[in-house]
Amino acid sequence: MTPSSELLSSHDLDEIAHLAYSAPDPEALVTRLVDAVDGGHILNKRDFGYALTLAAEIVEREEDDPERALALAERAIDVYRTHGEPDGYSRAMRARLLHRLGRVDDAMAGLEELRPLLTVDPAAIYVTEVLEEVGYDDLAERWLTDAVRELLDRSTDRPYAAEESQQQTAAMVYGLVQQRHRLRGEMELPHDDLDNLADRLRAASSRALDQLDDGPHGIVFWPRPEFNALLLRWPALAETYGTGWDDHRARAERDLVALAEEGVTDLGLVAGSADGLATFARDADLDPTDLTTVDEYADSLLAEADPIPWPPGRNEPCWCGSGSKYKKCCLPRSRS
């Protein structure tokens, strides 16, 4: 990690996010983040809000200080607005913190303001996730239901909308209806028409993937021992897969998020091995450091193995094999 006098990059912030879950001194990380913002020591001004949001998360989770976390979240929101950046995630965090502090009316008012994002922002599932976290499963289910039905009505009313708009609507419907389906299952509610839709969409996407010439949608990742062996043999591949294990996982998580935002469904990961790449390259008489070779090796893995489904549930083991819960491991890496 860079010294405090140097500029923090997005990668540095991702690294801090990961270290926070096992750091012996979380407060030092918080101080580092806040000082970087106050001193202007962040490479991209768009990351100022991210740094403060990350500091708020660390304070809430590791130090259990909701008052201080709330103050940091408020600062993050102000910074996001100053730079014209989306502030929905930080506002949802603020609502959760307000609820923890007993300011229930303020918390619910804040979430109500964010509710329209469910039908315009594919990433806005954090709104209903906060409702679940503070114990409002019934309300979360209702908001998800209303959002899905609004999107379905919109697609019916605008059959000739631009293709990009149709794809975004389809992606939002898929994500929301699957979250709703999962929540209703946890609530032990009977299947309804939207649950049936969730089942049909998942089945249809699986069938579509089976018919694709290029195999399932997924990416190759290198488990830690294989990643180390990969760079030991072919250091040039660090440019593609990252200079360290944390960098590699952050890149993989961001790539998957980007694919999901494009409307790609049934995503997954398949584990590569240094020996496997070497054998593949040797048998095909190819250069293992050539990106085309690596891509072909990845395609061969995806064609032969069942990918690890992505994303896992927030409380399920992370896809990277660390043993930690997804929400405490690779999920935060997508917020860069």
Side-chain angles (χ1 to χ4, degrees):
M1 196 181 302
T2 58
S4 58
S5 60
E6 297 183 10
L7 297 179
L8 291 177
S9 66
S10 295
H11 167 67
D12 294 325
L13 295 176
D14 289 341
E15 186 178 356
I16 290 173
H18 176 65
L19 291 174
Y21 290 99
S22 58
D25 186 8
E27 179 58 29
L29 297 179
V30 174
T31 300
R32 177 87 185 281
L33 291 164
V34 174
D35 286 351
V37 172
D38 291 340
H41 298 308
I42 294 182
L43 187 61
N44 189 332
K45 68 179 183 180
R46 297 174 60 184
D47 285 332
F48 277 54
Y50 175 37
L52 290 168
T53 301
L54 181 54
E57 288 183 327
I58 296 172
V59 168
E60 180 189 14
R61 184 184 65 243
E62 303 298 329
E63 301 183 5
D64 195 25
D65 187 346
E67 286 278 7
R68 186 179 174 211
L70 177 61
L72 288 166
E74 295 279 9
R75 282 195 63 189
I77 293 167
D78 289 341
V79 168
Y80 276 128
R81 290 176 177 173
T82 298
H83 294 149
E85 295 293 320
D87 62 356
Y89 182 81
S90 295
R91 289 167 63 193
M93 180 193 299
R94 176 178 62 183
R96 182 180 67 241
L97 291 164
L98 287 170
H99 195 280
R100 284 193 61 189
L101 292 167
R103 297 167 58 183
V104 176
D105 290 344
D106 290 339
M108 299 309 294
L111 289 173
E112 189 69 50
E113 290 177 357
L114 293 172
R115 184 179 180 181
L117 292 180
L118 290 170
T119 57
V120 296
D121 181 0
I125 58 171
Y126 50 73
V127 177
T128 44
E129 285 179 345
V130 169
L131 284 175
E132 291 185 58
E133 289 173 3
V134 298
Y136 290 90
D137 288 1
D138 289 342
L139 188 58
E141 191 272 340
R142 190 195 326 152
W143 284 16
L144 288 166
T145 299
D146 291 346
V148 171
R149 294 200 185 282
E150 179 179 336
L151 288 168
L152 292 175
D153 289 343
R154 182 189 304 172
S155 63
T156 302
D157 294 339
R158 305 174 188 173
Y160 303 109
E163 182 178 354
E164 182 177 353
S165 175
Q166 291 178 348
Q167 290 176 347
Q168 183 178 26
T169 298
M172 287 190 290
V173 168
Y174 187 90
L176 292 171
V177 81
Q178 297 302 335
Q179 184 190 18
R180 177 185 182 275
H181 187 46
R182 185 265 308 160
L183 176 59
R184 285 174 61 84
E186 293 175 358
M187 297 170 67
E188 299 184 349
L189 296 176
H191 257 49
D192 64 5
D193 60 321
L194 293 184
D195 287 310
N196 293 333
L197 174 62
D199 289 335
R200 291 198 305 273
L201 288 176
R202 181 170 289 277
S205 64
S206 297
R207 288 194 299 271
L209 287 177
D210 289 340
Q211 296 170 1
L212 288 177
D213 292 336
D214 59 354
H217 286 292
I219 64 173
V220 65
F221 86 101
W222 309 89
R224 190 166 197 164
E226 297 300 333
F227 178 79
N228 293 336
L230 185 79
L231 296 195
L232 186 63
R233 288 191 184 187
W234 306 292
L237 289 178
E239 184 175 348
T240 300
Y241 289 110
T243 57
W245 171 238
D246 290 335
D247 185 19
H248 174 50
R249 291 187 291 174
R251 292 186 186 206
E253 182 73 15
R254 287 196 296 267
D255 287 346
L256 288 162
V257 169
L259 288 170
E261 289 177 348
E262 292 173 3
V264 180
T265 58
D266 280 356
L267 289 164
L269 306 100
V270 64
S273 71
D275 286 342
L277 175 59
T279 300
F280 178 86
R282 184 188 65 240
D283 291 347
D285 194 23
L286 297 171
D287 177 4
T289 64
D290 188 290
L291 293 186
T292 301
T293 303
V294 178
D295 287 343
E296 291 180 4
Y297 171 62
D299 289 342
S300 72
L301 291 176
L302 290 166
E304 297 172 1
D306 292 330
I308 300 168
W310 181 94
R314 290 170 58 86
N315 291 311
E316 293 177 359
C318 188
W319 57 261
C320 72
S322 66
S324 299
K325 292 181 179 180
Y326 178 52
K327 68 180 181 181
K328 292 187 176 182
C329 191
C330 285
L331 175 60
R333 302 176 198 280
S334 65
R335 299 168 186 162
S336 59

